Amino acid sequence: MRTTVGIIGGGPAGLLLARLLHRAGIDCAVLESRTREYVEQRQRAGMLEQGTVDALREAGAAGRLDAEGLVHHGIELRFAGERHRIDFPALTGGRTVTIYAQTEIVKDLIELQLADGPPLFFEAEALAVEKPESERPVVRFRHEGRERTLTCDWVVGCDGSHGIARDAFPTETSRTYAHDYPYSWLGILADVPPSCDELIYARGERGFALHSMRSASVSRLYLQVPNGTDPGDWPDERVWDELAARFAIDADWTLDRGPITAKSVTPMRSYVHEPMRHGRLLLAGDAAHIVPPTGAKGLNLAVSDVRVLARALTELHRTGSARLVDSYSESCLARVWQATRFSYDMTRMLHAQPNGDAFDQRMQLARLRRITASRHAAAELAANYSGLPLAL
Ligand code: APR
Ligand code: PHB
């Protein structure tokens, strides 16, 4: 098989890149190791920056998003029995965010791609990227029981945190940075209307809790648990009791309960791979970086990588200039490190530190009080959360 851009991974990064390249008239193909059903049901993120909404509109993939997405103008920080709202438009000159599940983005992009291309192969597992330094890199993959090859002009690893594209980078010129957090998130989906209009980030001695949502009738909530927690040890009643305790405030507010339809535990990690390009092989999304979900940056960072890369490959295709391709890694990493910093700071500020002491708790409260007392500090959080400008 032969294509111009071989894309490994059919998650948000790979699917959006394929759509943007296809619309630019650039030949590409996507290899996804899992089944369509599997990738469409994987519960992941749900908070979109404006840039992500813009990218999906640019890709012609925002029909349902525009109809069903929930536009939010802020979040609530809840701590020490207090509620503090962060008003995004007032603090950022008008920026808002949108709640729309990553599963729905993936469904929308797959439907479009299967309808009018480019080729999307499910259960096609990439085994290796060969000759990335050459002008004809090759993806060796297994599909329908056979080993096959895809010869490309460019290969993009959109294969997430467990992918293989990174393996083709020479160790002597690659650097990785990692930080593992001493806690995880237990996430649930529940058939119950949200008990809030906007997201609630709650910090308490019992641990962190987040109230998000997927629609007017489906809630998405998370609570901090120790690493290695088995979801089976958390029956529905225990989950709701612990969430109610962590969101408790004196005011007339109650957490409505309902049947839990999905439950999973996710460890928290920060990870960056530098550089994001080696020869004709490029990385985008979780293949290059992972952030703890507290700052809601994972999906949005993947999309911003793809926007930069699609623009770079389109300029190369149309003008022959490799200027943007040559600056791809550096311009993406600048944004990746800022999102990594913000996600780390939000995570450390809001989670109970298992080995922390009274001083650590006071530091967390001091950070939160600075944000809720200072317009300047609140504006800094709002700017990072709603999305820093894209270096396009
Ligand atoms: N061959 C083919 N496909 C692969 C391979 C492989 N060897 N390895 C992994 N994949 C696929 C996975 O099955 C997955 O569908 O690559 C895809 C990677 O998708 P994501 O993990 O969703 O990563 P990305 O597209 O970068 O999106 C980032 O997803 O994980 C969340 O929190 C993250 O919201 C962020 C978003
Ligand atoms: C979600 O809705 O899944 C979500 C929202 C905000 C976060 C993390 C997850 O910070």
Side-chain angles (χ1 to χ4, degrees), residues 157-305:
C158 297
D159 47 354
S161 53
H162 303 295
I164 55 95
R166 285 190 306 272
D167 300 343
F169 279 68
T171 50
E172 55 274 13
T173 54
S174 303
R175 295 170 303 285
T176 59
Y177 305 83
H179 176 83
D180 293 303
Y181 298 82
Y183 34 75
S184 298
W185 275 12
L186 186 151
I188 67 165
L189 266 183
D191 284 341
V192 59
S195 301
C196 49
D197 296 328
E198 296 173 333
L199 273 56
I200 302 172
Y201 288 76
R203 178 229 170 257
E205 272 65 43
R206 298 174 70 101
F208 171 77
L210 168 60
H211 195 322
S212 184
M213 68 274 300
R214 289 293 176 264
S215 68
S217 61
V218 177
S219 293
R220 176 73 163 154
L221 297 105
Y222 302 90
L223 61 88
Q224 173 186 347
V225 293
N227 284 335
T229 292
D230 177 352
D233 295 340
W234 284 80
D236 291 14
E237 188 175 1
R238 182 186 178 193
V239 172
W240 286 118
D241 287 348
E242 186 60 30
L243 283 166
R246 296 190 189 186
F247 287 116
I249 46 171
D250 299 337
D252 56 344
W253 186 90
T254 54
L255 178 64
D256 294 332
R257 305 185 179 202
I260 294 176
T261 57
K263 199 181 291 178
S264 64
V265 172
T266 308
M268 302 179 78
R269 187 167 207 231
S270 294
Y271 174 87
V272 180
H273 180 286
E274 291 186 355
M276 290 173 59
R277 175 194 179 190
H278 174 65
R280 294 262 182 137
L281 170 61
L282 303 116
L283 300 177
D286 272 22
H289 40 71
I290 301 163
V291 288
T294 325
K297 290 298 152 204
L299 174 59
N300 295 296
L301 260 187
V303 169
S304 63
D305 290 348

Side-chain angles (χ1 to χ4, degrees), residues 8-14 31-34 39 42 44-45 102 124-127 158-164 284-287 298-299 302:
I8 305 173
L31 304 175
E32 166 52 50
S33 56
R34 299 284 191 160
V39 297
R42 251 182 335 207
R44 292 286 178 74
Q102 179 172 314
E125 183 185 9
L127 304 172
C158 297
D159 47 354
S161 53
H162 303 295
I164 55 95
D286 272 22
L299 174 59

Side-chain angles (χ1 to χ4, degrees), residues 15-25 55 58-59 306-307 310 314:
L15 294 167
L16 179 59
L17 179 61
R19 184 117 303 275
L20 292 173
L21 294 179
H22 184 65
R23 287 171 69 93
E58 186 186 323
V306 164
R307 294 183 78 190
T314 300

